Amino acid sequence: MRIHHHQPKASNTRRSMRPRLIHLCLGRLLITGAIHPLTQVMAFASKSSSVASEQSERLSPWTSRWKESRIGWHEGDVNMALKKYAHLIVPPAEEEAPSCSDSSSSSDGVSVFVPLCGKTVDMAFFATQPNVAHVVGIDGVRKALDEFAEEHSALEIKQQEQDDTEGETTTATTTTTTHFERFVGKKITLLKGDFFDMERAGFANKFDVVWDRASLVAIQPTLREEYVKTIGTVAKPGASILLVTFDRREGTLEARKAGPPFSIDQAEVQRLFGSADWVESIQLVDEFDTFVTDPSRKERFQSSGVTSLFEMVFLIKAKA
């Protein structure tokens, strides 16, 4: 996708000089490889809209949950399925990361996207993998990203300032107001904003890997098709998506339809991704009885009417 740069107003000579100089400097750094390709997207993202409000209809329920620390979905350790199947999406340290003819690829490794990331420790796991070049996580709630930065200080995550007049990005600790607020650290960028704005912000065809552990199951069922379309847009040709869903397999009808997390079984995954023109294949890799692997959840779900709960792991491949 071609990224359109904001053009400075011709009436201000001093302002018009600054973007040209920065564009030249960034261009040289990109040619020499000193800036990761994803940084180019960070620097020249579209300015057509502002950061999504945490009080919007879509985000306000999650803002309340974070404010009240009702984040039962958060795991204190790297997700079990990711530990077991990370090799399916990220080459082990002894192997070379796959090369790609796409100009946005990096010889340093794969780019990983974590949608609706919260403060998952999975992002820190990816950022420390030798064959991962960069991790990008997005969430609509600032508190989630602040807590991740505090809990993973070794990643040295700092907020990035964008000059609202020129559309250029510089390292600082003040707020940006474009599609996303950005927090940048060692091999990681956190975006605060609406996941569905990713394409408009210039992230089309940018990621080799997508890790979805608690994203698709979190959104309202009516948004699933739009979600899948957005994933297909940001994923590179040949990308790998490792998806974990919850299947409320048995229980009362009301409990099985409740959420989040909403129940998504194998048939629903096939319906959503099988009809997408960018998908090459869908594979059910594994499933876990959640009441056995995580007994702490058993009482909570059973009290709501769910008598059987499984986590299902899918590997989805995008067409090359």
Side-chain angles (χ1 to χ4, degrees), residues 25 127-128 198 217 241 290 313:
C25 292
T128 57
M198 292 293 290
V217 296
I241 296 93
T290 307
V313 185

Side-chain angles (χ1 to χ4, degrees), residues 82 114 117-128 135-138 145 148 155 187-190 211:
L82 181 58
V114 185
C117 61
K119 62 172 184 175
T120 176
V121 297
D122 299 344
M123 292 190 292
F125 168 81
F126 281 120
T128 57
V135 183
V136 174
I138 183 170
L145 306 181
F148 179 85
L155 295 176
K187 292 173 59 175
I188 188 167
T189 296
L190 304 179
W211 164 240

Side-chain angles (χ1 to χ4, degrees), residues 3-309:
I3 302 173
H4 299 283
H5 309 323
H6 175 74
Q7 296 298 322
K9 296 179 181 178
S11 60
N12 191 322
T13 305
R14 291 182 65 186
R15 287 183 176 178
S16 65
M17 290 294 291
R18 185 170 172 239
R20 293 175 187 172
L21 291 173
I22 295 175
H23 286 179
L24 286 171
C25 292
L26 284 172
R28 289 174 185 145
L29 288 170
L30 285 165
I31 292 170
T32 60
I35 292 183
H36 187 271
L38 280 173
T39 307
Q40 184 181 21
V41 179
M42 306 303 174
F44 300 116
S46 166
K47 290 173 59 63
S48 61
S49 67
S50 60
V51 178
S53 169
E54 292 189 8
Q55 301 309 316
S56 67
E57 182 179 358
R58 186 177 286 171
L59 293 177
S60 60
W62 299 104
T63 303
S64 298
R65 283 172 176 261
W66 277 99
K67 184 178 181 179
E68 299 165 7
S69 297
R70 292 186 293 114
I71 53 172
W73 63 87
H74 177 69
E75 297 180 328
D77 195 6
V78 177
N79 179 262
M80 177 179 63
L82 181 58
K83 286 180 180 178
K84 189 172 182 180
Y85 295 111
H87 66 279
L88 296 179
I89 53 176
V90 175
E94 61 272 14
E95 295 181 17
E96 275 191 32
S99 60
C100 179
S101 59
D102 191 306
S103 60
S104 64
S105 296
S106 169
S107 59
D108 297 328
V110 296
S111 53
V112 179
F113 179 48
V114 185
L116 311 188
C117 61
K119 62 172 184 175
T120 176
V121 297
D122 299 344
M123 292 190 292
F125 168 81
F126 281 120
T128 57
Q129 299 304 302
N131 279 333
V132 170
H134 205 80
V135 183
V136 174
I138 183 170
D139 202 276
V141 181
R142 171 70 181 263
K143 189 172 187 287
L145 306 181
D146 284 343
E147 290 188 8
F148 179 85
E150 291 170 6
E151 294 169 10
H152 301 277
S153 57
L155 295 176
E156 300 180 7
I157 298 170
K158 298 184 184 299
Q159 193 165 354
Q160 195 174 59
E161 180 184 7
Q162 182 166 0
D163 187 315
D164 191 55
T165 302
E166 310 301 348
E168 302 299 344
T169 312
T170 56
T171 300
T173 57
T174 56
T175 303
T176 74
T177 53
T178 57
H179 282 92
F180 304 113
E181 294 175 15
R182 299 175 178 82
F183 305 80
V184 180
K186 294 180 178 179
K187 292 173 59 175
I188 188 167
T189 296
L190 304 179
L191 303 175
K192 189 265 180 183
D194 192 334
F195 161 79
F196 295 103
D197 282 336
M198 292 293 290
E199 180 181 8
R200 281 179 287 176
F203 283 91
N205 300 322
K206 292 299 175 186
F207 300 105
D208 303 290
V209 171
V210 178
W211 164 240
D212 178 343
R213 178 250 152 191
S215 304
L216 183 57
V217 296
I219 64 172
Q220 291 296 319
T222 54
L223 293 173
R224 288 175 184 170
E225 284 79 4
E226 186 181 357
Y227 179 94
V228 171
K229 180 182 178 181
T230 302
I231 292 294
T233 298
V234 302
K236 291 181 183 178
S240 299
I241 296 93
L242 195 60
L243 167 69
V244 179
T245 70
F246 285 96
D247 179 9
R248 297 175 181 238
R249 197 159 291 181
E250 296 177 2
T252 65
L253 180 61
E254 182 181 7
R256 292 178 65 191
K257 288 184 175 295
F262 293 99
S263 184
I264 298 180
D265 59 15
Q266 185 173 3
E268 177 67 351
V269 171
Q270 182 63 46
R271 183 188 74 82
L272 289 169
F273 289 91
S275 60
D277 59 7
W278 59 270
V279 172
E280 178 68 32
S281 63
I282 306 166
Q283 178 187 355
L284 174 61
V285 176
D286 206 344
E287 64 175 34
F288 308 100
D289 185 334
T290 307
F291 292 165
V292 174
T293 59
D294 189 358
S296 64
R297 295 183 181 180
K298 185 174 182 178
E299 182 179 353
R300 177 164 64 93
F301 278 96
Q302 285 190 338
S303 65
S304 68
V306 177
T307 56
S308 177
L309 180 67

